[in-house]
């Protein structure tokens, strides 16, 4: 598959930065030495590169705001979706198949998984399904190897499988804690380790992790879930940084999706003060927004879209101010009656 050409201006800046670093290492360092006044040329040149990078990034962002980039085609892509038998996973599978992608459905429930496969095939979509527990590392690696031999290489992974239990930490059983961590965090490790190497080999791929607003802000009575989702956030941001620093992997994209309440039956009904403005979205609506973001290679997708900005502002506040606003937003829960 032919990858879209990078923006010429961005590629020129990257090339100039690499050439400058090479000249610095080969010529400037041996000539000037290191330490003290000798570092002045490096500081000057590095500062110049910093300013050029900042200016170019702002310019590109402005251009993209005025002229949105063309969304990439998913026709011919082979997309693996975990937890495809229900909720957002099911809707993603159906909508991606309509866009011409070959969909591979993984789910622990064979009945629900087969129902999705049959629905896609009735519409002449290309779909394959496997019953698997994604928390079992050996199952994941074995099935991934078998799929490469018998089917094809996976060009996009949407790691969607998840589980939720709401209870105070004192009421959690050790096996329940372990299970939630395995589903919501460790399974993402096994999936990425199974498919990322082939993406790197082919220099083409996309990794998508379905996260939650619980990966951005803490929630009472959801300690294990929040811990796993915060861990997933760290996993995806770290992998993104690894891929960014390797020229060989520049065509492998990552996307983290942060969801508020979606009507899949997994989350409790929202009870915050502004439910008349935002209550919950359907799985079909959420899947549509996610696919649009994937086609634009967005690093982060938030549903609702302003959630990440509000969370960033929220995290800049001192702790006491932050919890006062939190209690105001969540009017009616027990925190409203507490003071700092």
């Amino acid at each position: 598959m032919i990858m879209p050409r990078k923006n010429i201006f961005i590629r020129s800046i990257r090339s100039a930065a690499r050439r400058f670093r090479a000249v610095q290492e080969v010529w400037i360092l041996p000539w000037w030495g290191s330490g003290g006044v000798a570092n002045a040329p490096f500081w000057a040149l590095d500062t110049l590169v910093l300013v050029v990078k900042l200016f170019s990034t702002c310019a590109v962002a402005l251009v993209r705001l005025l002229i949105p980039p063309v969304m990439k085609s998913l026709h011919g892509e082979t997309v693996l979706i975990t937890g495809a038998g229900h909720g957002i996973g099911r809707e993603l599978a159906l909508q991606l198949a309509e866009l011409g992608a070959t969909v591979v459905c993984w789910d622990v429930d064979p009945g629900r998984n087969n129902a999705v496969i049959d629905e896609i095939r009735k519409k002449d979509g290309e779909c394959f399904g496997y019953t698997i527990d994604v928390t079992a590392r050996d199952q994941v690696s074995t099935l991934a190897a078998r799929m490469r031999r018998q089917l094809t290489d996976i060009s996009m992974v949407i790691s969607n499988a998840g589980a939720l239990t709401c209870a105070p930490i004192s009421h959690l059983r050790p096996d329940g804690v372990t299970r939630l961590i395995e589903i919501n965090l460790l399974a993402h490790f096994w999936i990425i380790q199974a498919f990322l190497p082939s993406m790197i080999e082919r220099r083409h791929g996309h990794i998508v992790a379905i996260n939650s607003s619980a990966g951005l802000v803490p929630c009472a009575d959801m300690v294990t879930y929040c811990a796993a989702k915060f861990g997933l956030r760290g996993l995806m941001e770290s992998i993104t940084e690894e891929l960014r620093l390797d020229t060989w992997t520049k065509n492998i994209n990552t996307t983290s999706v942060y969801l508020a309440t979606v009507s899949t039956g997994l989350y409790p009904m929202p009870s915050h003060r502004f439910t008349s403005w935002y209550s919950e979205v359907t799985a079909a609506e959420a899947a549509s927004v996610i696919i649009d973001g994937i086609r634009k290679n967005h690093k982060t997708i938030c549903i609702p879209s302003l959630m990440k900005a509000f969370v960033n502002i929220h995290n800049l506040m001192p702790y006491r101010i932050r919890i006062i606003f939190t209690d105001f937003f969540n009017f009616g829960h027990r925190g409203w009656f507490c003071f700092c």
Side-chain angles (χ1 to χ4, degrees):
M1 180 179 179
I2 299 175
M3 296 298 297
R5 295 180 64 85
K6 292 285 186 181
N7 182 283
I8 296 176
F9 185 66
I10 296 177
R11 288 190 288 120
S12 300
I13 294 297
R14 289 177 179 172
S15 177
R18 286 195 296 269
R19 289 178 181 177
F20 162 71
R21 186 59 61 188
V23 170
Q24 185 184 50
E25 293 175 355
V26 175
W27 297 101
I28 302 178
L29 277 173
W31 180 263
W32 284 91
S34 60
V37 180
N39 283 330
F42 306 140
W43 276 98
L45 290 172
D46 282 345
T47 303
L48 176 61
V49 172
L50 171 65
V51 172
V52 171
K53 284 184 175 180
L54 291 174
F55 177 79
S56 63
T57 299
C58 294
V60 170
L62 179 60
V63 170
R64 288 180 175 174
L65 182 64
L66 300 175
I67 308 175
V70 177
M71 293 192 295
K72 68 181 181 182
S73 173
L74 298 179
H75 190 276
E77 298 278 357
T78 303
V79 184
L80 168 67
I81 304 173
T82 66
H86 176 68
I88 293 176
R90 176 182 180 276
E91 292 297 332
L92 286 169
L94 295 174
Q95 294 184 31
L96 286 168
E98 291 178 356
L99 292 173
T102 299
V103 180
V104 180
C105 299
W106 281 14
D107 201 281
V108 72
D109 187 326
R112 295 191 307 191
N113 206 35
N114 291 334
V116 175
I117 296 167
D118 292 340
E119 187 171 352
I120 291 174
R121 289 178 175 173
K122 285 179 181 177
K123 299 178 181 178
D124 296 326
E126 191 170 5
C127 184
F128 303 89
Y130 300 89
T131 301
I132 183 175
D133 180 0
V134 292
T135 65
R137 181 171 59 86
D138 291 340
Q139 287 188 37
V140 171
S141 58
T142 301
L143 182 53
R146 180 157 66 93
M147 285 170 51
R148 281 194 295 271
R149 292 193 307 268
Q150 299 178 355
L151 186 60
T152 185
D153 285 312
I154 298 296
S155 58
M156 182 184 297
V157 170
I158 302 180
S159 192
N160 165 71
L164 171 63
T165 297
C166 295
I169 189 170
S170 58
H171 295 179
L172 297 174
R173 296 175 52 183
D175 56 341
V177 171
T178 302
R179 185 62 179 169
L180 279 179
I181 296 293
E182 288 177 341
I183 295 174
N184 293 303
L185 178 57
L186 292 181
H188 296 273
F189 274 94
W190 313 147
I191 294 292
I192 293 170
Q193 285 185 331
F195 293 100
L196 181 57
S198 64
M199 293 181 182
I200 294 175
E201 182 180 347
R202 293 179 293 112
R203 305 185 74 175
H204 172 58
H206 200 139
I207 297 173
V208 183
I210 306 299
N211 206 318
S212 165
S213 58
L216 297 173
V217 292
C219 303
D221 300 333
M222 297 171 64
V223 173
T224 308
Y225 186 72
C226 285
K229 292 302 185 181
F230 267 82
L232 176 58
R233 175 184 171 188
L235 167 64
M236 290 299 294
E237 291 184 0
S238 298
I239 288 178
T240 301
E241 184 65 6
E242 280 191 13
L243 296 174
R244 183 186 73 86
L245 295 176
D246 188 348
T247 305
W248 188 262
T249 60
K250 65 181 181 180
N251 288 329
I252 300 175
N253 298 292
T254 61
T255 299
S256 293
V257 180
Y258 296 96
L259 301 172
T261 306
V262 181
S263 57
T264 61
L266 179 64
Y267 303 97
M269 288 291 294
S271 58
H272 56 77
R273 183 183 293 268
F274 303 106
T275 52
S276 60
W277 292 354
Y278 178 82
S279 177
E280 59 181 7
V281 298
T282 65
E285 291 171 338
S288 178
V289 174
I290 292 169
I291 292 173
D292 283 347
I294 290 173
R295 296 183 65 188
K296 295 175 182 176
N297 288 329
H298 285 175
K299 297 295 183 186
T300 302
I301 301 171
C302 290
I303 302 175
S305 59
L306 291 177
M307 178 173 62
K308 191 69 161 55
F310 284 136
V311 169
N312 289 337
I313 296 172
H314 179 264
N315 290 338
L316 291 174
M317 299 176 183
Y319 172 73
R320 293 181 182 275
I321 302 299
R322 191 163 69 237
I323 61 176
I324 289 173
F325 275 106
T326 300
D327 293 341
F328 173 79
F329 182 78
N330 294 311
F331 174 80
H333 86 326
R334 64 178 183 267
W336 192 85
F337 302 97
C338 303
F339 195 63
C340 303

